[in-house]
């Protein structure tokens, strides 16, 4: 057995990436994080290394994972704060809100695999994932609780040439411009929808540079096409807007927790907070008129007051 704070330092480093973030979130100092992490590595005879900007462990993880199971149960029973992570575009759900009994992560993931791995390894306790790239419904260890559905928007900066096409715009028109890149395999189901529309592979930006001269701009960044939801569009800034063409896929937020803790009090309290926040964001906001909030029984209700 290792102390709760000892393993928390190591897992915090795997989760939050830097000792400074761990110290801030766990209310300690960086020297304590470093000392505890090294102690934990020595106890379990493990090595730590970075791969694709993420800390990874090398060695036999069986004893460590057994210890994590015990420590996670302590957290769910109220012995320590629980750990919550989310995708970057889900951050507005908890903007200026700190769920009681939870430590918030960096909320900056832009891919599916790493946060799911952290949840499976019991490093974190809950994850606000992006539908449709969520664990399978028959996953024996995790359960996905839908929170919302909304359209996926294609967005550009004000003055973008595509805006001149109005309602006549097509996916072929969009394919001629560079898109904000996603790591390959980051969101498999979403990527499949992009491929279906002919937007899966990037084009050579040189045609856009030629076209940009016509529109008095030389910055390729000004011609990018991005992806956003009605909730996440403000994260781009005030000078971005949606094109009048949507991708043929619904997206949304979903709360993923270990199946064994589906009906635990912290889960129901967090679920209630997230649903309440979604409804508050949507009510009376015309920009969110297409946001559908799902209750815990998966009953869809339109929250925008028309």
């Amino acid at each position: 057995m290792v102390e709760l704070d000892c393993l928390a330092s190591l897992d915090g480093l795997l989760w939050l990436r830097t000792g400074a973030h761990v110290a801030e979130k766990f209310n300690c100092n960086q020297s304590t994080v470093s000392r505890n992490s090294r102690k934990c590595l020595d106890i379990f005879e493990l090595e730590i290394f970075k791969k694709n900007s993420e800390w990874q462990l090398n060695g036999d993880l069986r004893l460590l994972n057994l210890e994590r199971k015990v420590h996670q149960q302590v957290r769910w029973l109220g012995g320590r704060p629980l750990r919550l992570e989310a995708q970057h575009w889900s951050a507005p759900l908890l903007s200026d809100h700190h769920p009681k009994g939870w430590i918030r992560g960096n909320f900056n993931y832009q891919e599916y695999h790493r946060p799911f791995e952290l949840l499976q390894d019991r490093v974190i306790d809950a994850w606000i994932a992006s539908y449709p790239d969520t664990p399978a419904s028959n996953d024996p260890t995790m359960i996905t609780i839908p929170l919302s559905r909304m359209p996926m928007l294609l967005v550009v900066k004000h003055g973008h040439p595509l805006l001149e096409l109005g309602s006549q715009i097509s996916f072929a028109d969009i394919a001629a411009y560079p898109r904000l890149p996603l790591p390959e395999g980051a969101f498999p189901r979403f990527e499949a929808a992009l491929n279906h529309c002919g937007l899966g592979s990037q084009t050579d930006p040189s045609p856009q540079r030629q076209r940009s001269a016509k529109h008095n701009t030389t910055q390729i960044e000004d011609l990018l096409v991005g992806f956003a939801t009605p909730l996440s569009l403000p994260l781009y800034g005030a000078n971005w807007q949606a094109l009048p063409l949507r991708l043929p896929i619904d997206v949304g937020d979903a709360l993923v927790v270990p199946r064994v803790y589906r009906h635990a009090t912290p889960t129901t309290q967090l679920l209630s907070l997230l649903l309440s926040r979604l409804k508050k964001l949507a009510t009376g906001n015309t920009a969110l008129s297409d946001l559908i909030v799902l209750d815990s029984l998966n009953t869809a209700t339109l929250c925008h007051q028309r």
Side-chain angles (χ1 to χ4, degrees), residues 281-303:
L281 287 170
T283 300
N285 189 337
T286 56
L288 300 179
S289 59
D290 292 319
L291 170 63
I292 299 175
V293 182
L294 306 173
D295 68 19
S296 58
L297 298 177
N298 292 346
T299 301
T301 55
L302 279 170
C303 288

Side-chain angles (χ1 to χ4, degrees), residues 22-306:
V22 178
E24 176 188 357
K25 302 285 187 178
F26 286 76
N27 194 27
C28 61
N29 56 61
Q30 291 190 57
S31 61
T32 299
V33 173
S34 178
R35 184 173 60 254
N36 283 343
S37 297
R38 175 45 56 189
K39 179 180 178 182
C40 206
L41 290 168
D42 291 342
I43 289 173
F44 293 106
E45 299 181 349
L46 301 171
E47 295 179 348
I48 191 169
F49 66 99
K50 265 198 172 180
K51 180 180 180 181
N52 298 327
S53 301
E54 300 286 357
W55 287 110
Q56 303 283 349
L57 295 177
N58 183 40
D60 189 339
L61 302 180
R62 287 178 293 179
L63 288 178
L64 174 65
N65 288 333
L66 288 173
E67 192 78 10
R68 282 170 166 167
K69 185 175 182 180
V70 174
H71 286 214
Q72 185 180 60
Q73 187 172 18
V74 171
R75 295 196 298 273
W76 279 99
L77 291 174
R80 286 289 193 280
L82 291 156
R83 304 166 187 172
L84 175 65
E85 193 50 83
Q87 303 302 118
H88 167 69
W89 38 84
S90 298
L93 280 181
L94 289 173
S95 178
D96 301 323
H97 288 69
H98 190 101
K100 184 178 179 181
W102 292 84
I103 296 174
R104 288 178 47 156
N106 295 327
F107 282 26
N108 62 359
Y109 281 101
Q110 299 191 50
E111 55 95 16
Y112 162 86
H113 304 283
R114 180 60 173 176
F116 186 38
E117 177 184 53
L118 293 173
L119 189 60
Q120 288 177 309
D121 290 343
R122 299 185 174 88
V123 173
I124 62 174
D125 303 299
W127 167 40
I128 304 175
S130 297
Y131 174 87
D133 285 288
T134 56
S137 59
N138 61 351
D139 188 302
T141 60
M142 300 294 163
I143 188 164
T144 299
I145 307 168
L147 300 173
S148 63
R149 292 288 185 274
M150 63 195 87
M152 176 57 79
L153 309 175
L154 295 158
V155 299
V156 296
K157 284 187 175 181
H158 295 332
H160 195 288
L162 285 172
L163 293 170
E164 298 177 5
L165 299 177
S167 61
Q168 302 303 311
I169 192 172
S170 68
F171 289 123
D173 296 320
I174 295 170
Y177 287 85
R179 274 88 62 200
L180 287 175
L182 286 174
E184 185 176 356
F187 297 98
R189 294 171 187 166
F190 176 62
E191 288 174 55
L194 290 181
N195 290 332
H196 178 74
C197 298
L199 302 178
S201 58
Q202 293 290 340
T203 58
D204 185 342
S206 56
Q208 282 72 51
R209 289 195 181 276
Q210 296 173 5
R211 192 174 302 183
S212 67
K214 175 183 175 182
H215 294 271
N216 300 317
T217 175
T218 59
Q219 297 298 319
I220 197 69
E221 292 79 8
D222 292 336
L223 297 173
L224 287 174
V225 178
F227 311 103
T229 68
L231 275 179
S232 68
L233 180 55
L235 297 176
Y236 277 86
N239 61 333
W240 287 74
Q241 67 185 88
L243 293 170
L245 182 65
R246 295 176 178 176
L247 290 168
I249 184 173
D250 285 332
V251 296
D253 296 299
L255 179 63
V256 185
V257 296
R259 188 171 290 272
V260 67
Y261 298 115
R262 165 62 180 90
H263 298 290
T265 299
T267 300
T268 57
Q269 290 176 341
L270 178 61
L271 180 60
S272 177
L273 172 63
L274 293 172
L275 291 173
S276 175
R277 177 66 176 159
L278 276 167
K279 293 173 183 177
K280 184 176 181 180
L281 287 170
T283 300
N285 189 337
T286 56
L288 300 179
S289 59
D290 292 319
L291 170 63
I292 299 175
V293 182
L294 306 173
D295 68 19
S296 58
L297 298 177
N298 292 346
T299 301
T301 55
L302 279 170
C303 288
H304 175 61
Q305 295 179 348
R306 298 182 184 276

